[in-house]
Amino acid sequence: MYLSHLVASARYDVFARICQVSRHNNAERQITGVLLFDGHRFCQLLEGPAASIALVRQSIEKDPRHEFMTVLVDRSQPVSTHHEPWHAGYCDLDDLDQFVGPASLDANAALAVFRSIVSRADLSP
């Protein structure tokens, strides 16, 4: 699970294109999870084969639309989000604030917060 920021020069409608490409690529790579976007930041939980996750992570790190990427949870075992296939959607502007700042969450707390946000987010498959 990571948090990143949309670069200032990007348009907000870039999220639709990211979703379109990600749905296709993640299905091919057997990746499930959820991508949230609040208009400025992305937060994504990915589950799947380790090699596939590594490829996606490298791609995101190189993607010029993302900056300030921070890995919040890095586990090799599944975290069972029960979201299949991969989903994406919008969350409230202040939802992702919980992942930023001096009071860092441990992995379990970060996952609990993420699940709480997902439960009320506007998701589409």
Side-chain angles (χ1 to χ4, degrees), residues 10-115:
R11 294 174 32 145
Y12 296 111
D13 62 356
V14 72
F15 183 63
R17 180 71 180 138
I18 288 172
C19 289
Q20 181 182 30
V21 171
S22 296
R23 273 189 195 95
H24 172 67
N25 291 344
N26 290 345
E28 283 188 353
R29 296 176 178 148
Q30 301 176 339
I31 290 176
T32 62
V34 178
L35 171 63
L36 298 173
F37 182 61
D38 70 2
H40 301 284
R41 295 172 293 195
F42 302 94
C43 188
Q44 184 167 211
L45 175 71
L46 296 166
E47 295 181 296
S52 295
I53 298 296
L55 285 173
V56 171
R57 182 175 173 174
Q58 289 173 359
S59 175
I60 294 166
E61 288 172 340
K62 293 177 184 176
D63 189 329
R65 299 169 294 190
H66 293 264
E67 63 182 355
F68 310 121
M69 182 178 174
T70 303
V71 175
L72 302 170
V73 178
D74 189 3
R75 293 186 173 169
S76 58
Q77 70 271 20
V79 293
S80 301
T81 59
H82 304 292
H83 291 283
E84 294 193 29
W86 181 85
H87 287 71
Y90 294 95
C91 62
D92 290 338
L93 190 57
D94 59 350
D95 280 341
L96 302 181
D97 289 348
Q98 300 172 75
F99 299 115
V100 181
S104 297
L105 300 172
D106 66 26
N108 291 330
L111 289 169
V113 167
F114 186 82
R115 287 184 183 112

